[in-house]
Amino acid sequence: MEVEYLRHGVPLADYPLTKADHRRQREAVQVHEWVQRQLAKAPPWSDKHLEEMRQLLGPPTPPWELQRWRLRLYCGHVIEATRNRNNPRPDGGGRDEERCPECGLNPAVIVAFEPLGPAAEPPAESRSLMSSRSTRQPPADRRSKAELVAENNALRAELEVLRDQA
């Protein structure tokens, strides 16, 4: 599946902040502060719990599954960031903010963005696996919806006969 990446504004051009940008930044700061307060109340995690979470999350995303983006942040700084290649926008999936590495503003909402390209090319064996996945045929033992409906109707009729006999 090929994703068509979107762009919003021109990160390298002058960008006048809008009322919506100011509102989103204010809301992001409020959410960030609330989360920090909740984390301060929470008991620390044990090493065992941290390891269980690492196991649950799995290995880090390989670089060939990441897309590079140029982002203009609320503070005006322009940075490069990576996101999952399946998202058409860098601010999708609940992550519409960054920590600015230049001024330290955290959070800094994304106000403009443009795609730059993949973070890395997949290794040769991954490319051949991905291309074979797209041409793969469904298993021979899979039945069509019509076949399943017919079998369901036959079983319902058989059940009615058995109920009448009882």
Side-chain angles (χ1 to χ4, degrees):
M1 175 180 90
E2 191 65 33
V3 176
E4 183 177 334
Y5 297 108
L6 304 175
R7 60 181 65 236
H8 175 72
V10 181
L12 294 178
D14 285 339
Y15 180 86
L17 293 171
T18 65
K19 287 182 180 180
D21 294 331
H22 292 298
R23 179 184 39 78
R24 287 178 44 236
Q25 178 66 26
R26 210 172 29 256
E27 289 170 354
V29 168
Q30 290 170 346
V31 169
H32 181 78
E33 289 172 349
W34 181 85
V35 168
Q36 294 303 313
R37 286 192 304 272
Q38 300 310 308
L39 288 173
K41 295 178 196 175
W45 281 10
S46 67
D47 290 340
K48 180 180 180 246
H49 197 152
L50 287 170
E51 184 55 37
E52 288 173 353
M53 188 56 67
R54 281 189 202 97
Q55 294 275 330
L56 182 66
L57 293 174
T61 304
W64 58 87
E65 291 183 14
L66 298 174
Q67 171 72 13
R68 292 176 26 251
W69 294 89
R70 180 175 291 128
L71 310 175
R72 176 176 284 274
L73 303 178
Y74 179 81
C75 57
H77 292 114
V78 177
I79 65 168
E80 189 177 303
T82 57
R83 298 284 192 275
N84 188 301
R85 288 187 73 173
N86 296 330
N87 292 330
R89 301 172 55 106
D91 59 354
R95 185 163 183 203
D96 65 347
E97 56 201 42
E98 285 283 324
R99 174 178 173 64
C100 180
E102 293 187 39
C103 68
L105 182 62
N106 186 22
V109 296
I110 300 167
V111 296
F113 56 84
E114 64 185 357
L116 297 176
E121 289 299 320
E125 64 271 5
S126 293
R127 276 189 294 242
S128 63
L129 180 63
M130 289 186 330
S131 64
S132 68
R133 229 184 265 154
S134 62
T135 59
R136 187 173 58 189
Q137 298 295 319
D141 63 343
R142 290 191 67 178
R143 296 181 285 173
S144 70
K145 183 177 178 181
E147 291 171 323
L148 292 171
V149 167
E151 180 182 2
N152 189 13
N153 290 338
L155 289 170
R156 286 180 188 277
E158 185 179 338
L159 182 61
E160 279 301 315
V161 169
L162 291 172
R163 281 187 182 152
D164 290 343
Q165 291 176 355

